[in-house]
Amino acid sequence: LAAPPAPGSALSLKVGFALLKGRSRAGAGGRGDDVDARRTPTHLPPLQHPNVQPHRGWCSRGQGHLGVWPFCGCAPPPHPSSSHVPRCATDHNTDNTTEMLQEWLAAVGDDYATVVWRPEGEPRSYPDEEGPKHWTKERHQFLMELKQEALTFARDWGADYILFADTDNILTNNQTLRLLIDQGLPVVAPMLDSQTYYSNFWCGITPQGYYRRTADYFPTKNRQRRGCFQVPMVHSTFLVSLRTEGAAQLAFYPPHPNYSWPFDDIIVFAYACQAVGVTIHVCNEHRYGYMNVPVKPHQGLEDEKVNFIHLILEALVDGPPMWASAHVSRPPKRPSKMGFDEVFVISLARRPDRRERMLSSLWEMEVSGRVVDAVDGRTLNSSLMRSLGVDLLPGYQDPYSGRTLTKGEVGCFLSHYSIWEEVVARRLARILVFEDDVRFESNFRGRLERLMEEVEAEKLPWDLIYLGRKQVNPEEEAAVEGLPHLVVAGYSYWTLAYVLSLAGARKLLASQPLHRMLPVDEFLPIMFDQHPNEQYKAHFWPRDLRAFSARPLLAAPTHYAGDAEWLSDTETSSPWDDDSGRIISWSGSHKTLRGPRLDLAGSSGHSLHPHPRDEL
C-alpha cells in the first residue's frame, strides 16, 4: 500500500494500519442529527510521495474463508525499516483465521523490525450470540475497544495517519494510501465496489441516525460524478489524519459524552467527527478495490464465502481483478462437472482474455470446464461454407437491422452445432454449455445444482433449460408445477448458458439446420415453437423441443451494447456471403441491448432499477 519516497524528500510520515475483521453494516442506524453540509472542511496541504512508515494492525475473526485475498494489497514495505511494526490481533474464531495470519507473518515477518502478535487461545462466542454474523451489544463494544486501542497506539507511536480496513475489504490499488493522503482531508475513505449498490459510505442520515437515501448516492456509487465528496459517514476502510484540528478528540470508545445514537462503531465515530467539526469525505476518482456484501445476522460463514466468491467473479469481469498473495497457501480446489457429463466452454482462440477470465471464474466456483475452440467467422468463406452444407434460411433478416446473416453468426451456430454432434456421438445424457462472455449470478453453482435436483425429483421431461437469456415478449411465462424456479420458455435471445439433454441434441440435429441456417438464438425458439415468424417455422418440423428457463436467471452477458467494454464477434462481422474481408459493425440490432425483462437471481450493481435499500 505504501508509495516509495520521492528522491530528496524531506518529509517523513508515520502511518498506522488497523486492519479489522469484516462485519455486517446492515441494520446500522438509530437516533441522531443531520450533518451540517455547510460546515467548511479542514484541509491539510497535499503531500507528494511521502516516505510512509507504517504500523499495521489486524483484528480478525472468522475470515479464514477469505484465504489469500485480504493480503493481495498488503505487500511488505518497499524498504525494511525500524518504523514498520505489524500489530495483529485475532479472536473468537471457529475456522483457520489464526493459522492463516501466522503463515503470512512467518513469510513476511523478517521484513519488519518486530511483530506484535496477540491471538486468542480457545475459540469462544459472545453472550446471546446466535451465530458468527450476529452482532450483539457485547460484540459491538469489543470491536469499539479494539479500534480505540489501535487509535491510541497510533497516537502514542507518533503516527501522522492511521488507516482502518476490514479484512473483507480488498485494496487492489497499491497507490491507495498515497492517493488518500494527497487529498489533504481529515477523514477520507476510498470508495469500494461490491456485487451490488452497497459501498462504504452514506450520503445521508436522518435526524434519528438512520440511513437516508439521497439523490447523490447512486451517481456517486456509479461514478457518474467523480471526485471527493463530503458525507456524514464512512466505514470499513478509511484514513484518519491524526494531525488535523480536532482529531485528538476523536474516539470509538467510550462514545462521546452526549452520544445517544445506536451502539455501533461506525455511528459512534461519525458522531464523534460531527461533534468536533471534523469533516468526512469519500473519494471515487480511482478504482481502489472491493468489499464483500454483508450477510444477514442469521447466516453463517458458508454464506459469506458464497458472497465472496461472487465478488471475485465480478472483479474478473469489471476489473481490476484481485491477485492472490504468494505468502498464504490457497485452500485446495476440487473442480467437478456438477453431475453433468460434460461442461463445454465455447471460446474464440483470438480472444485469450475472455477465455482466461471464463476459466478463472469456473475455477473459483470449482467447476471443471472443457474449452471448445469456437469456429471463427473471420476464417469462413463461401467455398468452405458450401463444403459444410451451409445455406441461408430463405427470407431471413435480422429482426431489428434488416441485415442478412453474418459470418460471425455462422461461426457461432457451427460452434454450438459441433457440441450437439458430440453429445449424440458420445451419448452424453446431459451437458452444460457456456459461451465466454458470461457474468455469473451469486451462488451460481449452488442454485444450478439445486435446480437440477428439483427437476430430477419431479421427473420433468426436458430437452433444454436456459440459464441465461433475453426474454423478448413481455407476457408472463407459465410456471412449472412443483418447480418454483423453472418456467416454460417463450421467445428468447442469446445462447450464453444452457443445459441440454441427449434427446434435445438429437432433435436439434434431426432438423438439419445447416441447410437453412439462421442465428442459433433464433433457431432454438423455432424448435420449441415459440418463434413469432410463421414463415421461418414452416421450414422445420417437428417443433417439439421441450424448453424451459431458470427463474430467476443464473447468468447474464458480461457487457451490453453501449457499454464501454462491449464487443461482439457476431454483430461486428461481414455478411455471410461476402468474401471481401471487410468488417461491419451492425449497430442496428437490438439483441445485445440490455433488456427490460432480465430477471436475475439477485440485486446487481448493473441493474437499471435499483431496489429499495440495495445500498445497505
Side-chain angles (χ1 to χ4, degrees), residues 344-413:
F344 294 99
V345 179
I346 299 173
S347 175
L348 278 171
R350 60 180 169 86
R351 301 291 184 201
D353 53 335
R354 288 187 173 191
R355 180 175 297 191
E356 181 181 357
R357 184 203 63 80
M358 191 66 185
L359 292 177
S360 295
S361 297
L362 294 179
W363 174 256
E364 292 298 338
M365 294 187 293
E366 300 188 69
V367 176
S368 178
R370 193 191 105 197
V371 171
V372 175
D373 282 329
V375 177
D376 194 339
R378 293 187 184 181
T379 67
L380 297 175
N381 56 49
S382 299
S383 175
L384 179 57
M385 284 191 284
R386 279 196 301 270
S387 69
L388 295 172
V390 173
D391 201 357
L392 180 68
L393 178 73
Y396 172 74
Q397 290 182 325
D398 180 87
Y400 296 101
S401 67
R403 61 161 171 78
T404 186
L405 194 68
T406 69
K407 286 186 175 179
E409 288 172 328
V410 174
C412 180
F413 198 116

Side-chain angles (χ1 to χ4, degrees), residues 124-281:
R124 61 188 176 91
S125 299
Y126 292 96
D128 303 320
E129 182 183 272
E130 298 175 4
K133 296 301 160 186
H134 178 216
W135 281 84
T136 64
K137 181 178 180 179
E138 291 80 2
R139 184 174 183 179
H140 275 296
Q141 179 172 329
F142 187 76
L143 179 60
M144 291 181 201
E145 291 173 350
L146 286 178
K147 286 189 173 184
Q148 184 61 43
E149 186 179 333
L151 185 60
T152 301
F153 186 95
R155 286 168 175 157
D156 293 345
W157 184 60
D160 299 284
Y161 295 85
I162 180 168
L163 178 69
F164 290 93
D166 286 1
T167 53
D168 59 356
N169 292 186
I170 313 300
L171 295 175
T172 55
N173 188 336
N174 66 0
Q175 296 300 304
T176 296
L177 183 58
R178 179 183 66 81
L179 291 169
L180 294 180
I181 289 176
D182 284 355
Q183 296 301 324
L185 295 168
V187 178
V188 58
M191 192 190 80
L192 300 178
D193 295 298
S194 73
Q195 309 95 314
T196 70
Y197 279 110
Y198 177 68
S199 192
N200 59 323
F201 70 99
W202 289 4
C203 276
I205 195 168
T206 69
Q208 295 76 32
Y210 290 101
Y211 173 80
R212 184 179 67 194
R213 176 175 280 191
T214 71
D216 291 332
Y217 185 85
F218 291 104
T220 305
K221 176 63 175 65
N222 294 334
R223 292 187 172 86
Q224 292 166 314
R225 68 169 190 159
R226 292 173 177 262
C228 292
F229 306 101
Q230 186 172 343
V231 294
M233 191 268 283
V234 294
H235 61 83
S236 300
T237 294
F238 57 93
L239 182 77
V240 179
S241 170
L242 299 178
R243 303 299 183 198
T244 194
E245 183 180 351
Q249 301 173 62
L250 299 180
F252 290 95
Y253 193 84
H256 189 277
N258 298 332
Y259 187 77
S260 61
W261 290 9
F263 198 67
D264 183 301
D265 62 292
I266 64 176
I267 308 296
V268 165
F269 190 75
Y271 184 94
C273 291
Q274 178 183 311
V276 298
V278 172
T279 57
I280 302 172
H281 289 75

Side-chain angles (χ1 to χ4, degrees), residues 10 28 44 54 92 101 151 175 198 200 217 256 297 320 421 431 434 438 448 494 542 590 607 609:
L44 297 173
H92 295 80
L101 287 168
L151 185 60
Q175 296 300 304
Y198 177 68
N200 59 323
Y217 185 85
H256 189 277
E421 287 185 314
I431 62 158
F434 294 120
V438 177
L448 177 56
W494 306 341
H590 292 189
S607 169
H609 307 290

Side-chain angles (χ1 to χ4, degrees), residues 8 49 53 86 94 156 158 169 179 236 240 338 353 365 390 399 425 508 543 564 583 608 615:
H49 303 289
Q53 302 178 17
T94 58
D156 293 345
N169 292 186
L179 291 169
S236 300
V240 179
M338 302 184 293
D353 53 335
M365 294 187 293
V390 173
L508 296 176
R543 299 187 296 270
I583 304 298
L608 286 177
E615 60 268 38

